[in-house]
Amino acid sequence: MPEIHVVSHTHWDREWYRSFATFRAMLVEVAEAVVDQLEAGRLAAFLLDGQTIAAADALAVRPDLEPRMAALVRAGRLHLGPWHVLADMTLVSGEALVRNLLHGRRWGDRLGGLLPVGYCPDMFGHPPDLPRILRGFGIATAVLWRGAPPAPVRFRWRSPDGSEVVAVRSRYYNPEVLWTAEGAAARLRAWLDEQRAADPDGPWLLLNGGDHLAPRDLGDLPAAEGVPAREVTLPAHLAALPAGDLPVVEGELRVPGEAGAFLLAGTLSTRIELKQANAAAQALLERWAEPWAVWASLAPAPPVPAPSLAADGLAPPGTVRALLDQAWGDLLANHPHDSICGCGTDAIAGEDRARFTAVTDLGEHLVERSLRRAGLSSRLPERPPADAVDIAVVNPHAAPLTGGVEVTLALAPGRAPAAVSDAAGGEVPFAAVPAGRRTGFDSDVGLLPHWPEHDAWTLRLVARDVPPCGWTTYRVRLGDAPPAAAAVTTADAREVGIDGWQLTAADDGSVTLTAGGTVRRGLGRLEDGGDAGDTYTWEPPAADRVVAGRLVAARALRSAVDAELRLTVVLDLPAGLTADRGARSDDTVAVPVDVRVRRWHGVAQLEWTASAAGTVADHRLRAVVPTGGTATTWTTDAAFSAVPRPVPDGPPVLPEGPGGEAAVGTAPLQTWCAAGGTAVLAAGLPEAEAAGGPDGTVLAVTLLRGVGWLGRHDLTRRTMGAGPPVEVPDAQARGPHTWRWAVRWGDGDAALALAAEAWRAPLRAVPLTAPAPATRSFLALGGGALLSACKPAEDGDGAVLRIRNPTAAPLTTPFAVPGADVVEEVDLSERRIGPAPAGDVVLGPWSLRSFRLRPRAG
């Protein structure tokens, strides 16, 4: 006979409308109650959410509970994990999701086990790669809600690489059904009737709990229309599901669902500075701190005795691993949806910013240490150089890169860059701009504080074919003044050209590109509309007014290495909304935006940097890029793949019934979006939209969304509240702000993916204060494969290298790791799945493969 399976649980937002401190105090109360009730037999089993951080937070206050909790975990009655935090899965990187599960596994090992289910109860949609990530940890099932299709209830969910899990859609929030014994039978019957509409045969899963709720004594469970109800665990429910073929659902899950199952897509751009900080922190850890910790371990031993490593600022490997763990732990603490989505209180956003700063500081410290161990010392010299200085241009990617770099040099007073040569001795064009007389400062554990006076110069050059996962060096010879060829010419003009590309500033502050007989107009146009929504939902006022920019000043800059337009664009923005929130206000504020549009010599992309000291309230600002044609589909990248999407052919239909949500045209991206051969690189700006218009399809990337309410209950695009009506003035995002994006044309899939990775984690130029090898490469891939991760192994046995195919076609890549042996293939959880490849590595469409490395003896 079919049954109702009751799984008692709590869903724990670490921070939301109350602070972390308050919610943790409540969590400790709930954790103790859960342990007491389980031990007393008043609960058969309990799910302490899908995240181990709930246990970690409780045990930080009540460490005495750990033996009792661990005994219940080992007995299979208390479940937690498999995640460390329940992250918003579209706003964080694929590698961050892998680190999330790895950190969860550590807590599982400590407490005696993890929930063997991909439990994702309240994420605002799911990326297409989640099945492959779960499978990489041996997890074959998932429980989902938001974003999953209303029907079927059970399905095979398939990633673009072909990985599958069995997924079950189930609303996690059902506390009212069994909240009291009185009326429970009637409420259970009503709940069952609702479930049977989508799943006639059962068994039916009742997730008995909700946000921040303690368990209730259930007593004798009632039956519903003769269907018995009993307490089970989530794995037991999944094991009882009927066998047989299930329908396949492929890719991203962002389907408008049942009443109340909102996607809350406005969170993609709420408090945009949090998204920018997160993208930068992920790039820092994934492309710099982790890989260079590994590459440094493969470099020749530093020429100092081991006891003096710390004094010389060369952190021992064990310390590096521990600090990387600390950095990831702090970053993961910002990934729950109420944190990274920006839909918490202003105080919580402040705490999130502080954590991002801590992660960035620690990550940069680790990069400096690892580069020094690898042979690149960049301390500020006590005596600034007077004759020559070397710089290293470092490439974090596994393919050779060409790109422009800027570096500030600290030179002896009165000295200046006079000539630059590459590692082979060839002369290199450069630009040099004086940055003034300065007093520097440096100090370290093995370095006394010093304050050298120096002349600062900004040096720009195009570094060509920088070795993969390595560097090349340049010698900067010094003189009394730079040569005329290194000068930057400036003119009050609206046009500048380089490499056959002519850039012209239009009256609205956009740029027209003329190249090879093709004219592209309106690039980077700023467009600002009203927003009467809340932190969850963008809602234009009924009488919206969209504002374009006006160009008020333009300068053209030209050097031997780049060309640039520097524009001042003013947006005359309404100060806010009218009192009834139905329109934008009549009073306006002139908001200047400084815009820089650059092209480097030999690099076929346009790069924008825009900044504003302050803005207004209740609005959305976007950068618009026309594609020059009409497209029916557009694409954004995801965790480890890409998502093709239809271009909407009209405005969304507004919901009419309670609990409804309008479909949205905006979509998440990780690093790029593209349509009709035009691509926008936009790491840190994770919301974009493709829309049709009289001049064809445009791509619009959101730069900011300013709102003043955590939640509102009077919206037309969402007909039910999603959060409490708390004012959050800091979410108006008044600034200051800086945004970066780039535009490219005509790339193939692999070239676009590499360009987006290089925009996310660009080349770095490092002034050297000690001799270094002229060039070095620690890893080289071919065939279009990309580096996904290179990190110290979880078990301390060597390192784990992960590579990925960023295309829908199979590829074969040779790869070599000088100084290391590839000893075995591992899964995402870093457990052995096979021997090392004997030759080139074959990567299926969108696939990942991971390998264990060990330093080569001798």
Side-chain angles (χ1 to χ4, degrees):
M1 171 182 287
E3 296 178 311
I4 297 170
H5 290 164
V6 178
V7 175
S8 292
H9 77 102
T10 191
H11 174 59
W12 209 267
D13 301 293
R14 282 186 96 222
E15 49 188 18
W16 181 16
Y17 55 85
R18 292 187 177 127
S19 68
F20 163 67
T22 301
F23 274 139
R24 182 169 65 173
M26 297 164 60
L27 173 63
V28 174
E29 297 166 359
V30 170
E32 184 170 16
V34 167
V35 170
D36 288 345
Q37 288 175 261
L38 286 169
E39 290 177 340
R42 289 150 48 199
L43 279 173
F46 194 80
L47 172 57
L48 190 60
D49 214 358
Q51 50 186 344
T52 58
I53 203 167
D57 287 342
L59 294 176
V61 179
R62 289 288 309 277
D64 57 299
L65 290 177
E66 182 166 347
R68 299 168 64 193
M69 291 179 68
L72 292 165
V73 170
R74 290 192 297 270
R77 298 181 61 210
L78 178 62
H79 278 124
L80 47 101
W83 304 101
H84 184 55
V85 302
L86 288 176
D88 183 274
M89 295 188 169
T90 57
L91 284 172
V92 306
S93 69
E95 287 295 338
L97 293 174
V98 174
R99 302 306 180 283
N100 193 338
L101 286 167
L102 288 172
H103 276 243
R105 190 179 69 185
R106 294 179 192 176
W107 275 95
D109 292 344
R110 173 172 167 175
L111 293 176
L114 287 174
L115 178 72
V117 178
Y119 185 62
C120 306
D122 197 27
M123 287 71 168
F124 302 163
H126 304 276
D129 304 288
L130 189 55
R132 104 172 57 228
I133 293 171
L134 294 174
R135 277 293 190 177
F137 283 78
I139 298 172
T141 54
V143 174
L144 319 165
W145 183 41
R146 302 181 193 271
V153 172
R154 294 182 287 276
F155 54 92
R156 288 158 50 206
W157 183 19
R158 182 178 296 162
S159 283
D161 74 326
S163 303
E164 289 185 0
V165 295
V166 173
V168 174
R169 179 184 63 80
S170 182
R171 182 176 63 201
Y172 79 92
Y173 193 96
N174 303 282
E176 70 287 344
V177 178
L178 301 174
W179 189 254
T180 61
E182 182 180 356
R187 293 192 300 271
L188 190 62
R189 281 195 302 273
W191 176 88
L192 181 59
D193 289 343
E194 181 183 337
Q195 303 308 304
R196 277 177 162 164
D199 179 16
D201 301 321
W204 300 278
L205 174 61
L206 173 57
L207 287 169
N208 175 46
D211 300 353
H212 310 116
L213 294 176
R216 311 281 286 187
D217 286 339
L218 296 179
D220 294 328
L221 291 172
E225 300 176 355
V227 177
R230 66 183 178 96
E231 285 189 84
V232 301
T233 64
L234 195 54
H237 166 76
L238 294 170
L241 295 178
D245 289 337
L246 294 174
V248 173
V249 175
E250 296 187 328
E252 180 186 69
L253 298 184
R254 290 180 62 81
V255 180
E258 64 192 35
F262 306 131
L263 287 177
L264 307 175
T267 58
L268 295 173
S269 52
T270 299
R271 303 188 198 264
I272 196 69
E273 75 281 359
L274 298 182
K275 282 67 169 176
Q276 292 174 297
N278 180 65
Q282 290 177 157
L284 175 61
L285 297 186
E286 295 169 17
R287 287 293 165 270
W288 290 102
E290 285 184 327
W292 281 94
V294 175
W295 307 144
S297 72
L298 303 180
V304 291
S308 68
L309 289 182
D312 278 35
L314 297 170
T319 297
V320 171
R321 285 195 300 271
L323 292 174
L324 282 170
D325 290 345
Q326 178 66 50
W328 270 112
D330 288 345
L331 184 56
L332 291 174
N334 273 0
H335 283 179
H337 59 213
D338 297 302
S339 304
I340 188 62
C341 288
C343 50
T345 67
D346 289 346
I348 288 165
E351 292 176 1
D352 295 340
R353 293 187 192 102
R355 279 193 290 265
F356 282 130
T357 298
V359 172
T360 301
D361 288 348
L362 180 51
E364 291 293 354
H365 173 82
L366 288 168
V367 173
E368 188 274 335
R369 290 301 198 245
S370 293
L371 289 179
R372 192 184 308 175
R373 181 180 279 271
L376 303 180
S377 179
S378 59
R379 285 173 167 158
L380 183 66
E382 296 186 49
R383 292 194 179 107
D387 298 320
V389 60
D390 290 340
I391 62 173
V393 177
V394 189
N395 176 7
H397 306 287
L401 278 188
T402 294
V405 294
E406 283 190 359
V407 62
T408 299
L409 303 178
L411 308 181
R415 305 300 281 169
V420 177
S421 55
D422 60 22
E427 293 296 311
V428 174
F430 70 99
V433 178
R437 181 69 53 87
R438 297 180 182 179
T439 300
F441 174 75
D442 198 4
S443 178
D444 209 331
V445 293
L447 182 68
L448 291 174
H450 59 283
W451 300 265
E453 187 178 63
H454 62 274
D455 281 354
W457 285 83
T458 300
L459 183 80
R460 300 204 302 265
L461 59 85
V462 177
R464 302 197 180 278
D465 297 319
V466 182
C469 293
W471 68 75
T472 190
T473 56
Y474 294 84
R475 168 64 56 89
V476 182
R477 299 188 298 278
L478 306 180
D480 295 332
V488 178
T489 60
T490 304
D492 291 330
R494 293 167 61 153
E495 293 186 347
V496 71
I498 186 172
D499 293 351
W501 288 25
Q502 189 72 18
L503 311 180
T504 305
D507 291 343
D508 62 0
S510 67
V511 170
T512 298
L513 168 62
T514 304
T518 300
V519 179
R520 302 179 186 276
R521 293 184 172 85
L523 302 174
R525 182 177 76 249
L526 299 179
E527 183 177 280
D528 191 277
D531 194 336
D534 56 18
T535 62
Y536 300 104
T537 300
W538 169 71
E539 174 147 324
D544 196 9
R545 187 161 85 253
V546 177
V547 177
R550 54 184 175 89
L551 181 67
V552 300
R555 285 192 301 153
L557 287 72
R558 186 73 167 81
S559 79
V561 297
D562 63 352
E564 183 178 344
L565 288 175
R566 294 190 181 180
L567 314 175
T568 301
V569 182
V570 170
L571 293 160
D572 296 305
L573 299 182
L577 299 175
T578 56
D580 64 0
R581 303 181 66 81
R584 303 187 81 176
S585 60
D586 292 330
D587 54 319
T588 61
V589 177
V591 175
V593 182
D594 293 324
V595 178
R596 300 175 60 178
V597 187
R598 169 188 276 170
R599 185 191 159 171
W600 292 94
H601 175 58
V603 181
Q605 68 183 29
L606 287 185
E607 302 175 2
W608 271 258
T609 301
S611 58
T615 61
V616 295
D618 302 311
H619 69 126
R620 182 178 70 171
L621 175 63
R622 306 203 289 181
V624 178
V625 177
T627 65
T630 299
T632 57
T633 62
W634 66 300
T635 307
T636 63
D637 69 330
F640 296 117
S641 62
V643 181
R645 310 176 184 280
V647 176
D649 57 4
V653 176
L654 298 181
E656 295 182 356
E661 184 183 37
V664 295
T666 55
L669 62 90
Q670 286 287 320
T671 62
W672 60 265
C673 60
T678 298
V680 180
L681 314 183
L685 301 173
E687 179 181 274
E689 182 174 16
D695 298 321
T697 304
V698 301
L699 295 167
V701 175
T702 304
L703 304 183
L704 71 82
R705 202 170 71 85
V707 294
W709 290 88
L710 194 157
R712 291 190 66 89
H713 295 204
D714 59 353
L715 305 184
T716 61
R717 295 193 171 216
R718 194 192 70 235
T719 57
M720 190 173 79
V726 175
E727 290 191 73
V728 284
D730 183 64
Q732 291 288 7
R734 292 182 181 270
H737 291 283
T738 298
W739 309 281
R740 296 175 63 251
W741 68 94
V743 183
R744 299 175 61 88
W745 293 272
D747 284 325
D749 292 345
L752 173 57
L754 178 60
E757 277 288 293
W759 184 250
R760 173 190 182 225
L763 298 171
R764 289 192 179 196
V766 180
L768 300 179
T769 54
T775 62
R776 190 73 192 264
S777 177
F778 292 96
L779 169 70
L781 298 178
L786 296 181
L787 175 67
S788 186
C790 187
K791 60 180 289 292
E794 289 290 294
D795 59 8
D797 181 10
V800 169
L801 170 71
R802 184 156 36 256
I803 61 178
R804 70 182 180 97
N805 178 356
T807 76
L811 62 83
T812 299
T813 177
F815 81 101
V817 189
D821 293 317
V822 181
V823 296
E824 62 185 359
E825 185 165 4
V826 298
D827 61 13
L828 293 180
S829 75
E830 304 185 9
R831 290 171 175 159
R832 178 184 171 91
I833 57 174
D840 293 349
V841 174
V842 177
L843 293 169
W846 305 115
S847 66
L848 298 168
R849 292 183 69 178
S850 305
F851 307 96
R852 186 182 300 274
L853 309 178
R854 292 191 185 119
R856 188 168 297 143

